[in-house]
Amino acid sequence: MKVFYAGLTPTPALQLYVRDKGFDVGVMVTASHNPPEYSGLKVVMSDGIEAPRDVEESIEEIYYELTFRRITWTALGYDVKVVDDVNDYYVSKVLEKVDREVISKKGLKVVIDCANNVGSLTTPHVLRGLGVKVLTLNCDISHIPYRNPEPTPENLVDLVSVVRSVGADLGVAHDGDADRAIFVDCIGRVLQGDRSALMLCDHILNNKKLGIPKKVVTAVSSSTVVEEVLSRYGVEVIWTRVGSINIARTMMREGSLLGFEENGGFMYGIHQYVRDGAMATALMLEYIAYSGLTLHQLYDKLPKMYVVKTKVGVDPRDRDVVFEKLKMRLLEVFSGGRVIDVDGVKFIASDYWFLVRPSGTEPLIRIYVEARDEVLANKVLNNILTLANEVGMK
Ligand code: MG
């Protein structure tokens, strides 16, 4: 194989480069949203999308069974060429896809928090290219991360306080490899990723005039608010299993150009079928510029739901059996709603919905409930917990 070294770069930048420059495969070394000691490999196929699970499994097999040829260290490395335009190429391609003129006229002030990681090399340049006043936070890539790379509200306390104290229009936080973007409004609210994605869908479907089938793909972990809002103008929401690759492949199959996860991963098919933090950021600024409203006002237009969540432990050896029992009981007790069971059980009623799903990585069942008010949310959660206890979970 001919090997090219792309240097420090966000995952979506590598993905775009692999696809556009005709590479057969790309490999990203990153811990993504995890602390740096959890670094792993993301393998990217020639279309820029992550390798499917069966390809990953065959790579793991080669690795663990040592079925590869060994060479001496002196034979290694001579053929590695450096490609030094990955980040520049990416920045220019993101900028191409939004209305720079309209955005720059708004004179927005944005704080960008890259968790001292590779997003620092691209997103501040995208923002400057859009004529935005940029304030950087945690964008010194030579420093170990000042915050946990996962852009959850508890990890974005500094970003919230900087956004508020400097009077910024909004804040943006990436995870370690900058495929996710989480937004903070001017009063310091950290927007849930499915809500901000819904706003982006609203913008793209109404303002970008793509002439595309009106389909949006998201995982079952996203809120039904997505469906509530998008169905108003005839958009079909397709629910998939959790995992960005399921979303990407479903988008391609269904001819959809929009997909997202509730964790801040947004896919704009016109650009590429992968999560892309800088692209999501540029689109959000375009939405603000086109609408003439603030992020805060746009967010307040969405239906409000009250959220409660918890997890229950389960013996990993009989996780699947116990989960099936719980699923049966849930479907007996909760009726009159819609059931989606591509991944766990999602139940959708008129004034609440819940998702009960085994964790992919821990001996846990996760329970997530959203309802119109707090009392109903807690009532639904307690009913689920009672059933979970009945089938032997604690
Ligand atoms: Mg990531």
Side-chain angles (χ1 to χ4, degrees):
M1 283 187 209
K2 280 191 194 138
V3 181
F4 295 79
Y5 179 56
L8 293 167
T9 189
T11 299
L14 182 81
Q15 290 175 299
L16 189 73
Y17 203 82
V18 165
R19 186 196 70 184
D20 287 4
K21 306 283 180 176
F23 288 93
D24 295 303
V25 92
V27 180
M28 181 77 194
V29 182
T30 178
S32 187
H33 55 283
N34 299 301
E37 64 269 30
Y38 292 100
S39 278
L41 305 177
K42 280 186 181 176
V43 179
V44 175
M45 307 304 274
S46 60
D47 59 4
I49 301 174
E50 291 141 284
R53 187 64 200 134
D54 62 317
V55 172
E56 287 185 329
E57 276 166 5
S58 53
I59 295 170
E60 283 166 8
E61 199 177 296
I62 292 166
Y63 176 77
Y64 286 112
E65 293 180 2
L66 303 175
T67 52
F68 47 83
R69 185 169 59 92
R70 284 170 176 266
I71 55 171
T72 61
W73 72 271
T74 49
L76 191 71
Y78 289 108
D79 283 336
V80 176
K81 295 172 186 68
V82 174
V83 282
D84 59 5
D85 61 339
V86 180
N87 291 338
D88 290 346
Y89 179 75
Y90 173 68
V91 169
S92 71
K93 288 291 162 185
V94 170
L95 288 174
E96 252 174 35
K97 293 179 187 82
V98 289
D99 192 333
R100 298 162 74 165
E101 212 181 301
V102 172
I103 298 168
S104 63
K105 277 191 192 138
K106 282 293 282 184
L108 294 166
K109 192 198 267 191
V110 177
V111 186
I112 172 76
D113 177 346
C114 294
N116 303 93
N117 215 314
V118 288
S120 318
L121 302 172
T122 49
T123 303
H125 299 289
V126 168
L127 293 171
R128 284 184 198 112
L130 294 171
V132 165
K133 181 160 194 227
V134 188
L135 289 98
T136 57
L137 174 70
N138 300 328
C139 285
D140 175 2
I141 197 167
S142 64
H143 202 281
I144 56 161
Y146 282 106
R147 70 158 165 91
N148 183 307
E150 179 143 43
T152 50
E154 59 276 19
N155 295 331
L156 302 181
V157 177
D158 289 346
L159 176 62
V160 165
S161 87
V162 173
V163 165
R164 293 180 59 166
S165 60
V166 302
D169 293 287
L170 66 148
V172 183
H174 288 316
D175 67 329
D177 63 337
D179 55 358
R180 287 158 57 171
I182 286 288
F183 299 93
V184 174
D185 72 8
C186 62
I187 57 168
R189 289 180 298 187
V190 179
L191 276 51
Q192 288 163 264
D194 50 1
R195 268 59 174 188
S196 56
L198 174 56
M199 294 157 78
L200 293 176
C201 290
D202 189 56
H203 164 53
I204 294 160
L205 290 161
N206 288 311
N207 298 328
K208 302 288 272 183
K209 306 282 181 282
L210 303 174
I212 50 166
K214 290 194 162 185
K215 291 178 182 177
V216 168
V217 181
T218 189
V220 287
S221 48
S222 292
S223 174
T224 55
V225 163
V226 171
E227 213 169 46
E228 186 183 335
V229 171
L230 293 179
S231 66
R232 285 179 202 156
Y233 41 94
V235 177
E236 182 193 352
V237 175
I238 300 168
W239 301 100
T240 69
R241 294 175 63 81
V242 173
S244 64
I245 183 151
N246 301 318
I247 296 169
R249 297 287 174 204
T250 306
M251 285 168 70
M252 295 182 93
R253 197 180 61 233
E254 297 281 341
S256 164
L257 291 170
L258 300 170
F260 62 88
E261 297 178 307
E262 98 302 339
N263 60 15
F266 186 78
M267 303 184 193
Y268 182 42
I270 293 285
H271 175 56
Q272 54 177 348
Y273 289 88
V274 305
R275 293 174 295 197
D276 192 317
M279 190 69 250
T281 303
L283 287 164
M284 187 61 90
L285 298 180
E286 191 182 51
Y287 185 30
I288 292 166
Y290 276 19
S291 68
L293 298 172
T294 64
L295 182 64
H296 157 245
Q297 290 165 332
L298 289 165
Y299 180 60
D300 278 340
K301 291 206 300 184
L302 298 179
K304 289 282 161 300
M305 297 288 272
Y306 190 84
V307 178
V308 281
K309 52 186 168 181
T310 190
K311 50 198 174 189
V312 284
V314 59
D315 187 328
R317 286 163 303 182
D318 44 42
R319 187 188 73 173
D320 294 347
V321 177
V322 174
F323 179 73
E324 278 309 311
K325 276 191 203 162
L326 175 61
K327 181 177 166 182
M328 255 173 53
R329 289 292 291 133
L330 286 167
L331 297 182
E332 280 164 19
V333 171
F334 291 91
S335 59
R338 195 151 57 96
V339 177
I340 297 168
D341 60 357
V342 290
D343 194 353
V345 187
K346 187 181 181 103
F347 181 86
I348 306 170
S350 60
D351 47 2
Y352 70 90
W353 68 273
F354 65 76
L355 176 69
V356 180
R357 182 177 166 265
S359 160
T361 49
E362 293 169 274
L364 296 170
I365 305 275
R366 297 183 187 282
I367 304 169
Y368 188 96
V369 183
E370 283 190 7
R372 296 285 171 214
D373 62 68
E374 186 177 354
V375 176
L376 181 60
N378 283 315
K379 191 176 146 206
V380 172
L381 179 67
N382 288 332
N383 285 348
I384 298 170
L385 283 174
T386 306
L387 298 176
N389 291 338
E390 269 176 36
V391 300
M393 297 178 187
K394 349 175 223 326

